Every structure is written in C-alpha cells, then in structure tokens.
C-alpha cells in the first residue's frame, strides 16, 4: 500500500515567523505553507501546486525537508528561499516571510529567457499571450521592452453555452452555427479585464487546440469530424488582429499551427515550455483539461495524442471547476471525511473528485472495478451541509476519464518503445492533483514521487515564451518538424487497452 507521508507526526514542533515574531505549534512533517495559510491567512496563489513561486519564504534556522524539483524550476532556491507549499517541518524552525508576496498567477513555471522580440512584426508596446481553452480563456499582458508580466487573468469561454466538449461544438458548427464570434467575445472580455489601454497592445499570440483554432478563424471544420482528423490550420498565421475580429487596432496576431488531430498549438506550447525548463528526457507530459493532451518527448521525437477526459472529471459530482468555493482534496481520517477548500464549497474540482475516488479505493469503499460497496446504496456522502456526495455514476465517469488518459500514454510508450523517466502534469485542471491519488487509480505510469512534476498552465507559458524570445519561437518551429500525432482510435489494440484502463489500480510498464 502506498504511504501518503514518510514523516512521523508524533512530535510537536514550533515555527517562529519573522518579522512578526509569531510563534506557532505544529506537528512534525506538516507543510509550512498549509500552517501559514491556516493560522495567518498566508496566500498560496497556485493552491499549493508549487509552480507560481508566490509562497517563497526563507528558512533562517532549523531542519526542513529536501527541496523538490518545482522549487528549483521556480527559481526560489537560487534566491536562497524555499516554497512554503513544498516544504515540511522536521524540527523547530525560524521562517522569514517577505513583506511583498507575488499575486496569483494563472500560468505556470516560467523558464529563464533572454529577451529577444526581433521575430515579432511589431514590438513597440505591450504583448498579449492567450491560451484559448475549451473551458477557460487565459491571458498574460507583457511589457515587451522589459519582458515584465503586467497582468494575468482568465474568463470562461462563452462557447460553453453551445456545448462543453469539442465534438458537440463541431456538430453545431457543421449545422451552420457561427461559433467564432463567441470565442472573440471571450477574448475581448479577457482583454477588458487585463487593461483599459487597448491601443498599446501591438502583438498577440494565441494558442489553442485544433477545434478552437478552426472555430476562431472560421476555417472549414469538416476535416476534424472524422478520421484521420486533419486540422485545417497547418502553417503559421500572421494577420492583423482586426482581421479575426479582435478589437486591437495596432496589434498583429500570430497563431502557431496545430500538431495534428485535436492536438493544436496548445500542445506545441506545452513542449516549448518543458524543453525550455530543461526537464530531463524522456518525459511524459499530461496536460489535463476538457481536451487533454498527452505527450511523450524522447528528444528525437515528440509523440502526441489527445484524450477527451476533462469533462468526465469536471461535469460530475457537482463539479464546479477551478474556483475557491470548491473541494480540491479529500481524505478519510479517524473515521470521517476531511475536505480541503478555501471557502464554503459548492462542489468538487477535478482533482478533488480524483482524490475522493482514490481515497475510496484505498479504504475499500470501492473495489478496483469501481463498484461501490452494497451498503452505500449507490452514493457516499462527503459533506452534509452543503450536500456533496459521490455516486456510482460519478465513479464510472471517472473511470472513463482515467482510461482515456491511460490509453493515450500506454499507446505512446508502445509506439516509441521508450519508458518515461518523469511525469509532468500541466494545465490548471491538474494543478492540485496529488501524486499518490494519480498513482493509485492508474492515471499516471509508475515513476518515483520526486519525478512527478507540476508546472501549471504550460500552454500559456509557452505562448508567453514564444512572444518574448526568438529562441523559443524557433524552438517551436523545430518541435513541429519532429512532432507526430498518434490517432488512438486507429490502433487495433485500443479497445483492449481502454477496457484494461477502466480498472482503478496502479499500472505496470
């Protein structure tokens, strides 16, 4: 049985907080960030996932856990600091909290870049990087002369009103419904949240999956409705933003092409980010979202598959997505359910649902086939007020989502004949996903916990990088030359692998 923590919690320790001189009593092994958040309201901007760097503190005295790779990637270690959300107390410690804590970020770990905007048609003012997602539209406003991020935010994609999944949107578009204006409406709403000075925005980069690209640009989407799912945008597109309906009078828009199938320029941006971060090859990247991308990067090749798994996690059990009024983690301790949330919850995030199912499996409330014990009569209550419960149907939907992801990485590994040494989790959906939960239900291949890395919204990070760095822009072109889309449904063994993936258990390679 996998152990959640190797630290003994039988001893009481003390944390002294500088410069406020507050003294707190904690258990050995507790995470400093969770203690500071609970006792002092200390912000954890990315929810404790370790990719934003916003909870960096300085350890003045005492013994703490060894640094994790996220702390090195975020740059905290170079500054002589630790990420509070990644650091456990092993003795009495003295911790210094900086007076200024960075604001929340909707992107992820940003690689070190040499600012070079010579590839941009216009680099006089501000740049806007956008990740046009199926559910959310996320953006970052950048000062191009310095590379400084001025603001970041997100809005819901208005196309949700036309269907939460890509297939539904394709069908509606093929019936003649014009979906593009809704995508433009969402981007316009995002711009209004980021700035009141539109005329200063001179460059725009938009990454998206193949369907979102086609709908935004009003391209013929019929090629994505049947195998081999050929994306209509195959070359880099550079046009005035006004030509695609976005009211930025001075901006030139750059839209990178798709890799193949439903894997668009968002998957390309993911790989740009991981390559720039120097994450060791071979690695498996899983960008969890409504349309999930799975990438196996071997160095010489980049194999990409897509899995429609996000809706299975997001649309059930009162799923409410990435908002503060949602449960992000579920544990069963001392005979009762313990839920992690910031405000009175309205439902479960995707990671919260995965956590609940993994915990039910651990304690035997469900078996590997997903079947709930008979005495629960088809539902298990996690919280009475407000009512949050997991039903047998919810578990079946989670099994489908897990199997979709498993089938993707299983086939990619077989195709490449190479096993990944690391698993990289990307996307805001996966920000709070816990290693133990993902491993237990078979969502990820068996890698050591230290090789399980969360990097946040790497699609937006890749878009920002391509805007700020000619090197990143050229890297993207090079990746496109070696990237190959794998159509899972075209594989003869796909049905057998999918059925195998429905079993909730730790995988073997």
């Amino acid at each position: 049985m996998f152990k959640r923590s190797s630290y003994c919690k039988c001893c009481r320790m003390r944390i002294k907080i500088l410069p406020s001189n507050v003294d707190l009593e904690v258990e050995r092994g507790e995470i400093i960030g969770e203690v500071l958040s609970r006792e002092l309201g200390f912000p954890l901007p990315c929810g404790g996932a370790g990719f934003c760097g916003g909870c960096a503190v300085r350890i003045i005295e005492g013994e703490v856990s060894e640094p994790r790779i996220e702390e090195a990637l975020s740059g905290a270690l170079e500054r002589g600091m630790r990420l509070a959300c990644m650091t456990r107390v092993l003795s009495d410690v003295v911790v210094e909290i900086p007076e200024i804590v960075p604001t929340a970020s909707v992107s992820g770990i940003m690689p070190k870049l040499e600012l070079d905007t010579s590839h941009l048609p216009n680099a006089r003012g501000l740049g806007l990087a956008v990740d046009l997602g199926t559910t959310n539209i996320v953006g970052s406003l950048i000062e191009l002369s310095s590379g400084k991020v001025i603001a970041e935010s997100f809005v819901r994609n208005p196309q949700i009103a036309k269907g939460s999944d890509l297939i539904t949107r394709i069908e509606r578009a093929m019936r003649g419904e014009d979906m593009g204006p809704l995508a433009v409406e969402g981007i316009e709403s995002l711009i209004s949240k980021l700035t009141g000075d539109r005329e200063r925005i001179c460059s725009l980069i938009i990454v998206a999956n193949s369907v979102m690209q086609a709908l935004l640009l009003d391209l013929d989407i019929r090629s994505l409705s049947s195998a081999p799912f050929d994306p209509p945008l195959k070359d880099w597109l550079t046009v005035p933003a006004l030509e695609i309906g976005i009211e930025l009078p001075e901006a030139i828009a750059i839209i990178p092409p798709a890799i193949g199938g439903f894997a668009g320029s968002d998957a390309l941006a993911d790989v740009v980010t991981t390559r720039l971060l120097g994450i060791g090859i071979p690695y498996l990247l899983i960008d969890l979202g409504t349309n999930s991308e799975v990438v196996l990067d071997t160095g010489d090749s980049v194999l990409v598959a897509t899995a429609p798994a996000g809706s299975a996690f997001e649309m059930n059990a009162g799923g409410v997505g990435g908002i503060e009024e949602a449960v992000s983690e579920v544990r069963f301790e001392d005979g009762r359910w313990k839920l992690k949330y910031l405000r009175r919850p309205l439902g479960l995030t995707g990671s919260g649902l995965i956590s609940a199912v993994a915990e039910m499996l651990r304690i035997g409330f469900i078996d590997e086939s997903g079947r709930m014990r008979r005495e629960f009569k088809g539902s298990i209550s996690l919280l009475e007020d407000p009512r949050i419960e997991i039903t047998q149907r919810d578990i079946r939907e989670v099994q489908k989502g897990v199997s979709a992801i498993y089938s993707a990485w299983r086939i990619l590994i077989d195709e490449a004949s190479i096993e990944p040494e690391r698993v990289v989790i990307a996307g805001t959906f996966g920000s709070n996903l816990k290693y133990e939960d993902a491993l237990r239900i078979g969502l990820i291949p068996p890698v050591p916990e230290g090789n399980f890395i969360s990097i946040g919204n790497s699609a937006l990070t890749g878009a920002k990088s391509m805007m700020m760095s000619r090197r990143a822009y050229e890297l993207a072109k090079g990746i496109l030359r070696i990237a190959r889309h794998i159509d899972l449904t075209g594989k003869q063994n796909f049905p057998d692998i999918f059925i195998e993936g429905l079993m909730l258990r730790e995988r073997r390679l």
Side-chain angles (χ1 to χ4, degrees):
M1 182 67 68
F2 182 82
K3 297 180 180 178
R4 286 202 299 272
S5 173
S6 58
Y7 301 110
C8 169
K9 292 191 176 182
C10 59
C11 302
R12 304 296 291 181
M13 306 292 176
R14 302 201 71 81
I15 300 181
K16 184 175 183 179
I17 310 299
L18 300 179
S20 59
N21 287 318
V22 172
D23 229 0
L24 302 174
E25 188 179 69
V26 300
E27 292 180 329
R28 187 177 192 272
E30 279 202 80
I31 296 173
I32 291 176
E34 292 184 358
V35 174
L36 298 180
S37 178
R38 179 179 71 237
E39 302 292 339
L40 304 177
F42 181 75
L44 300 175
C46 66
F51 60 75
C52 73
C55 66
V57 298
R58 198 178 306 278
I59 308 299
I60 305 299
E61 294 179 12
E63 183 185 358
V64 295
S65 57
E66 291 294 315
R68 288 179 52 89
I69 190 169
E70 289 91 342
E71 298 182 79
L73 293 174
S74 71
L77 299 182
E78 285 187 8
R79 306 195 306 272
M81 306 185 83
R82 297 292 303 274
L83 297 186
C85 70
M86 296 266 132
T87 307
R88 295 180 183 271
V89 178
L90 301 183
S91 73
D92 293 344
V93 295
V94 179
V95 177
E96 182 184 35
I97 299 177
E99 291 186 13
I100 299 176
V101 178
T103 56
S105 170
V106 296
S107 54
I109 298 177
M110 192 69 193
K112 292 182 179 178
L113 298 169
E114 182 178 341
L115 183 64
D116 180 1
T117 57
S118 60
H119 60 294
L120 298 178
N122 190 345
R124 296 192 307 271
L126 302 178
L128 176 63
V130 174
D131 173 20
L132 176 57
T134 310
T135 302
N136 294 321
I137 305 174
V138 187
S140 182
L141 193 65
I142 303 161
E143 186 178 68
L144 294 176
S145 61
S146 65
K148 178 183 177 183
V149 174
I150 296 173
E152 291 186 327
S153 191
F154 78 96
V155 296
R156 292 293 190 194
N157 188 331
Q159 290 180 342
I160 288 177
K162 300 292 185 179
S164 62
D165 61 278
L166 297 181
I167 300 302
T168 302
R169 295 185 196 178
I170 290 174
E171 290 173 348
R172 297 186 78 137
M174 290 179 65
R175 291 199 301 265
E177 294 190 44
D178 194 357
M179 309 282 280
L182 288 175
V184 172
E185 176 189 326
I187 294 173
E188 289 284 346
S189 177
L190 175 67
I191 294 169
S192 297
K193 286 185 72 172
L194 292 170
T195 181
D197 193 1
R198 288 169 170 260
E199 294 191 357
R200 290 193 61 206
I201 299 176
C202 63
S203 289
L204 171 67
I205 286 185
I206 302 174
V207 298
N209 64 55
S210 303
V211 176
M212 296 310 305
Q213 282 183 337
L215 294 177
L216 172 69
L217 300 173
D218 196 25
L219 302 177
D220 188 346
I221 205 165
R222 286 176 294 179
S223 62
L224 285 168
S225 65
S226 59
F229 306 106
D230 197 24
L233 185 64
K234 297 183 178 66
D235 296 310
W236 292 78
L237 180 67
T238 303
V239 295
L242 291 173
E243 284 193 16
I244 55 178
I246 300 173
E247 294 296 324
L248 296 174
E250 303 298 324
I252 302 296
I254 298 174
I255 303 179
I259 290 177
F262 291 163
S265 52
D266 52 354
L268 172 64
D270 285 335
V271 182
V272 168
T273 298
T274 48
R275 288 277 183 107
L276 290 173
L277 287 172
I279 292 174
I281 292 169
Y283 65 82
L284 182 79
L285 182 141
I286 304 174
D287 189 338
L288 287 169
T290 308
N291 180 62
S292 299
E293 289 88 21
V294 182
V295 178
L296 180 59
D297 188 349
T298 70
D300 296 328
S301 66
V302 175
L303 302 183
V304 185
T306 57
S311 58
F313 301 135
E314 293 172 348
M315 306 310 293
N316 298 281
V320 291
I323 63 173
E324 290 185 348
E325 297 87 353
V327 176
S328 61
E329 186 177 345
V330 177
R331 294 289 174 250
F332 191 79
E333 297 176 2
D334 302 323
R336 64 188 185 92
W337 292 106
K338 295 186 178 180
L339 312 183
K340 182 178 179 181
Y341 51 87
L342 295 178
R343 297 181 182 175
R344 188 174 188 268
L346 301 175
L348 296 162
T349 63
S351 63
L353 181 56
I354 290 172
S355 178
V357 172
E359 196 73 348
M360 290 173 186
L361 183 64
R362 181 185 71 83
I363 61 180
F365 283 11
I366 62 174
D367 60 22
E368 288 186 350
S369 73
R371 183 178 299 156
M372 196 177 287
R373 280 183 5 202
R374 187 170 299 175
E375 63 262 35
F376 294 117
K377 298 180 179 179
S379 68
I380 295 174
S381 175
L382 304 180
L383 191 66
E384 291 299 328
D385 185 24
R387 179 76 172 175
I388 297 178
E389 64 179 14
I390 304 290
T391 67
Q392 183 67 73
R393 181 181 178 277
D394 295 327
I395 294 170
R396 296 304 184 205
E397 291 299 318
V398 168
Q399 288 177 271
K400 293 176 189 176
V402 169
S403 185
I405 298 292
Y406 166 72
S407 300
W409 61 254
R410 176 77 268 175
I411 289 173
L412 293 186
I413 290 172
D414 291 346
E415 186 82 12
S417 299
I418 293 177
E419 296 179 3
E421 297 177 3
R422 294 164 185 81
V423 172
V424 181
I425 299 295
T428 51
F429 173 92
S431 297
N432 290 303
L433 183 66
K434 295 296 184 290
Y435 167 80
E436 63 196 81
D437 296 329
L439 188 70
R440 179 170 290 119
I441 65 175
L443 187 68
I444 62 171
V447 298
E449 184 173 6
N451 288 354
F452 177 81
I453 308 161
S454 178
I455 61 172
N457 187 345
S458 55
L460 181 61
T461 301
K464 290 161 60 178
S465 299
M466 284 187 274
M467 176 167 284
M468 291 189 284
S469 166
R470 186 181 191 93
R471 175 191 165 212
Y473 181 76
E474 295 298 334
L475 175 61
K477 291 185 174 181
I479 292 168
L480 283 169
R481 287 192 288 270
I482 62 171
R484 182 160 59 98
H485 172 253
I486 305 298
D487 177 15
L488 303 181
T489 59
K491 297 295 179 181
Q492 189 173 1
N493 60 346
F494 172 73
D496 293 335
I497 292 175
F498 187 86
I499 291 171
E500 176 189 337
L502 292 171
M503 299 298 288
L504 299 172
R505 60 189 175 204
E506 189 173 334
R507 311 298 182 190
R508 293 182 180 179
L509 291 178

